[in-house]
Amino acid sequence: MPMEYFEQRERALLGDRFDVLYAAPQETAERGVTVSALRSSPEQFAAKADFPLEASPFCKAAFVVHRPDDLKFRPGRHPYHHAGVFYSQEPSASSAAPLLGVQPGMRVLDMCAAPGGKSSQLAAALQGRGVLVSNEYVAARADILKSNLERMGVPNAVVLNEAPARIADALPEFFDRVLVDAPCSGEGMFRKEPVARQQHCEALVKQCAELGAEILDCAAAVLAPGGQLVYSTCTFAPEEDERQVAAFLQRHPEFTLADALGNVDYTFGSEGEANRTGGLPLDVSKVRRIWPCQGGEGHFMARLVKAGTPRVLPAEGEYTAEEQLWLAAAEAAGKKAKGKGGKPAKTPDARSARRENARACREAVQGEKRSREVQAGETSPAQSLAAWHAFAGQYFPALVDRPAVVHGGGVLLPVPFPQTNLHVLRAGVFVGSVQKGRFVPEHHLFTAFGAQCVNREELTLDDPRCVEYLSGREVEARIAADGWCCVTVDGWPLGGGKVSGGRVKNHYPKALRNMGLMSGDKIVRYLKGLCGDVLIEDLKTPFVATAVDIVTGKTVYIDKGPLLDAIRASISIPGLFAAVKKDDMLLVDGGVKERIPVSILKEKGMDKTLAINTSTDPGVMRPKNMVMMLSRAFDLMDWESCRRGCFCEADYTVPMERGCEIVYYKPSEAVKAYEMGVEAMTAHLERAKAALGL
């Protein structure tokens, strides 16, 4: 069993201390929020928050959120979250970023950045100066990273979707600070993610240790002389922690191990363990561990300093000669750019616009743009810049003099960054584009610079218009004048809107309102009438629902909390229903990965598992709309999986003579499926017993 390897190893290393160190203060992982200094001080946030907070020992900007009396409370749904005031994360996850000692004006790399919690902390420390490069190798996670940094209002980020080795080749000795929050075996996530226990094994630890070593070597290559590197994991495995750092120091004599807490004026956790170095020399008093008994989730941190003299940082508001050349190169590439084309651009949150923006970001950095003559009806770069300057002069006068370039028909406020061949998803702030002859601002303009907008509609936390706005509906304009405005909550920017006739036309991106064709609100209201506020723990029959975190791809087992929430998450067919937001997770139908949660059943002590296949042959059907198209696609995938015997890992699967299609909005269909399942089970009972040896 996976847990046997872990426990045997840790008991051998810790002896009698095992039970003490792994005794967590609470059964489940704590929730936490980390306040962004781009928005607020921790003190200001604590005074305004409408939920109870406790100062976190792991970071001065972080809080533990205690809400046992309100299981429906979700920090990720709070208006302050949408305004980028805080990032929702497990408390001890906020411990690593401050150890870097980031100062405004530095060049900072977060090598393994998704989903963006630590990057948001680094961005807050930079205060809009210098440059933050946030990289994520997995494309889907890189998109989430970009979205989170945009929500947090980060103005000086470059988001990459690259392999660490390519970054090392492109940017040797470029960064003043590097954070490597390495992909790891996740032993610290056993409480938070039960599926991690099932996936854990010795081979996984070895694989993660090898990958971590490769990433560390790349980080060493991109770090400038005198720079600092923080290596962190959320695991206890010696191969990925003390032994990893000791081996790195042997490979890189130009590095020295520094006190992990040397850049902060507080302490947390414990020193490292001498018997975890694999016999290699290491001053374990300088590294830091967080054990479950200390209220954390198994984090490990080490700070490494590269020999040499640190780079002198430019004064506030100034660029180095090198940085001025990079900005000039971006501007030159923009002047060669083609116009928008005769066809009007789609709304800023449309897929084509996102594609165009991503391409433009790439070209702004790479300088690889095919030029052609501007055709009739197109907008030239000069016209786009003129439209932006006119718009900025009216609504954002403080931004008029900032460097701006044009790429792909959009206007970009770039960051000083060299041209490379790296895959860039975001490079600065896309402020908007000319559409139908008018300048239309982007959402990121308001999140990054909303405080500088001279026309604002100011909401408060208890204002019902706040929820209305975040749901995508028009709201009453009470103080904003006609034209574009920034919508704020308690002074913090939520997004943009356009005022006309006393109403704020909502421009909050649709992708942020919900992530499906249907919100699922009607289903929730119906389920509310059926199950009310029943908790899973109170059910007479054991119950577990499965969902998949679309961000990480990991299965999430839901066997506690409100029954309504579990059902809603487990039926979120991607594309059809909006994903359920829970902390940093986006939960969709568990059938994406695991039709029946057999693994959790076996973990709970079930010796034998039975499953009943209620799938139906999809037959022939011509879709009439997008909803039917998506539903049809999932039906076909479901049926093919069943046909190939990939239904589930149950010990015995009962076939049905005829299938049953369950229609979510017709409860009678679900009842019919249940009755047909009972019928099939009764008919195959003896065969099932024989197959299971009962």
Side-chain angles (χ1 to χ4, degrees), residues 277-490:
T277 68
L280 299 176
L282 185 72
D283 185 355
V284 294
S285 68
K286 293 182 177 181
V287 302
R288 215 70 188 165
R289 280 190 168 277
I290 301 175
W291 299 98
C293 67
Q294 296 163 333
E297 301 302 314
H299 289 88
F300 170 87
M301 288 144 282
R303 184 166 66 95
L304 301 149
V305 180
K306 193 172 188 178
T309 303
R311 181 175 68 95
V312 178
L313 301 179
E316 184 175 2
E318 296 182 359
Y319 294 114
T320 65
E322 190 178 38
E323 291 169 343
Q324 290 175 352
L325 289 175
W326 296 336
L327 291 172
E331 183 180 6
K335 291 180 179 178
K336 298 177 182 179
K338 67 179 182 180
K340 284 174 40 169
K343 187 176 180 180
K346 296 182 179 180
T347 55
D349 59 318
R351 182 180 299 175
S352 61
R354 292 196 301 270
R355 219 172 19 243
E356 182 72 11
N357 288 350
R359 182 167 59 252
C361 284
R362 221 168 25 251
E363 293 162 352
V365 175
Q366 296 172 190
E368 297 180 355
K369 184 75 175 179
R370 296 181 180 179
S371 62
R372 67 173 177 82
E373 295 295 324
V374 177
Q375 304 297 317
E378 296 182 344
T379 304
S380 69
Q383 291 170 327
S384 293
L385 279 177
W388 156 246
H389 284 130
F391 177 90
Q394 184 176 359
Y395 298 108
F396 292 87
L399 301 180
V400 170
D401 295 329
R402 287 191 58 145
V405 299
V406 176
H407 288 276
V411 179
L412 172 76
L413 301 186
V415 294
F417 193 70
Q419 296 181 8
T420 68
N421 290 319
L422 299 175
H423 186 199
V424 180
L425 302 183
R426 176 73 72 193
V429 179
F430 260 95
V431 293
S433 59
V434 178
Q435 300 178 20
K436 298 181 180 180
R438 299 180 179 180
F439 189 86
V440 178
E442 286 272 353
H443 179 63
H444 197 185
L445 170 65
F446 294 103
T447 61
F449 303 111
Q452 301 176 34
C453 183
V454 297
N455 193 33
R456 292 194 292 269
E457 184 62 30
E458 298 176 352
L459 312 180
T460 60
L461 193 58
D462 56 357
D463 190 333
R465 295 181 300 160
C466 190
V467 175
E468 293 290 306
Y469 176 80
L470 292 174
S471 299
R473 292 185 279 272
E474 290 186 4
V475 298
E476 178 188 3
R478 297 177 183 175
I479 63 173
D482 283 359
W484 289 97
C485 73
C486 179
V487 180
T488 68
V489 54
D490 292 337

Side-chain angles (χ1 to χ4, degrees), residues 394-599:
Q394 184 176 359
Y395 298 108
F396 292 87
L399 301 180
V400 170
D401 295 329
R402 287 191 58 145
V405 299
V406 176
H407 288 276
V411 179
L412 172 76
L413 301 186
V415 294
F417 193 70
Q419 296 181 8
T420 68
N421 290 319
L422 299 175
H423 186 199
V424 180
L425 302 183
R426 176 73 72 193
V429 179
F430 260 95
V431 293
S433 59
V434 178
Q435 300 178 20
K436 298 181 180 180
R438 299 180 179 180
F439 189 86
V440 178
E442 286 272 353
H443 179 63
H444 197 185
L445 170 65
F446 294 103
T447 61
F449 303 111
Q452 301 176 34
C453 183
V454 297
N455 193 33
R456 292 194 292 269
E457 184 62 30
E458 298 176 352
L459 312 180
T460 60
L461 193 58
D462 56 357
D463 190 333
R465 295 181 300 160
C466 190
V467 175
E468 293 290 306
Y469 176 80
L470 292 174
S471 299
R473 292 185 279 272
E474 290 186 4
V475 298
E476 178 188 3
R478 297 177 183 175
I479 63 173
D482 283 359
W484 289 97
C485 73
C486 179
V487 180
T488 68
V489 54
D490 292 337
W492 297 313
L494 286 171
K498 194 171 187 180
V499 182
S500 178
R503 305 288 294 176
V504 180
K505 185 178 180 181
N506 202 314
H507 282 261
Y508 195 71
K510 294 179 181 178
L512 300 181
R513 303 173 197 173
N514 55 59
M515 295 190 177
L517 295 176
M518 294 175 282
S519 66
D521 292 343
K522 292 183 178 179
I523 292 176
V524 170
R525 287 196 292 269
Y526 176 79
L527 292 173
K528 180 77 171 178
L530 288 179
C531 11
D533 297 325
V534 174
L535 301 179
I536 296 174
E537 299 93 312
D538 297 335
L539 297 175
K540 294 181 180 180
T541 303
F543 176 90
V544 62
T546 61
V548 172
D549 179 12
I550 205 69
V551 178
T552 63
K554 296 180 178 179
T555 300
V556 178
Y557 298 123
I558 309 172
D559 58 357
K560 296 177 183 170
L563 178 61
L564 172 61
D565 291 356
I567 296 174
R568 175 64 182 87
S570 69
I571 64 172
S572 300
I573 299 176
L576 284 177
F577 292 101
V580 174
K581 297 180 181 179
K582 182 179 181 183
D583 299 329
D584 293 331
M585 299 185 291
L586 290 175
L587 302 181
V588 299
D589 191 338
V592 171
K593 287 188 65 178
E594 189 177 16
R595 292 282 308 280
I596 302 293
V598 174
S599 55

Side-chain angles (χ1 to χ4, degrees), residues 34-40 78-87 120 148-153 447 489 492-494:
T34 305
V35 181
S36 171
L38 293 175
R39 295 284 192 259
S40 171
H78 200 280
Y80 289 175
H81 171 86
H82 286 271
V85 181
F86 68 78
Y87 193 99
S120 69
N148 276 327
L149 292 181
E150 180 176 298
R151 174 179 60 83
M152 301 297 291
T447 61
V489 54
W492 297 313
L494 286 171

Side-chain angles (χ1 to χ4, degrees), residues 130-175:
V131 62
L132 168 66
V133 178
S134 297
N135 178 65
E136 173 56 45
Y137 178 73
V138 181
R141 287 170 57 82
D143 285 335
I144 298 294
L145 168 66
K146 181 181 68 173
S147 178
N148 276 327
L149 292 181
E150 180 176 298
R151 174 179 60 83
M152 301 297 291
V154 179
N156 58 331
V158 176
V159 180
L160 301 180
N161 173 212
E162 272 294 357
R166 281 180 48 82
I167 300 175
D169 290 340
L171 299 168
E173 297 191 335
F174 181 83
F175 295 97

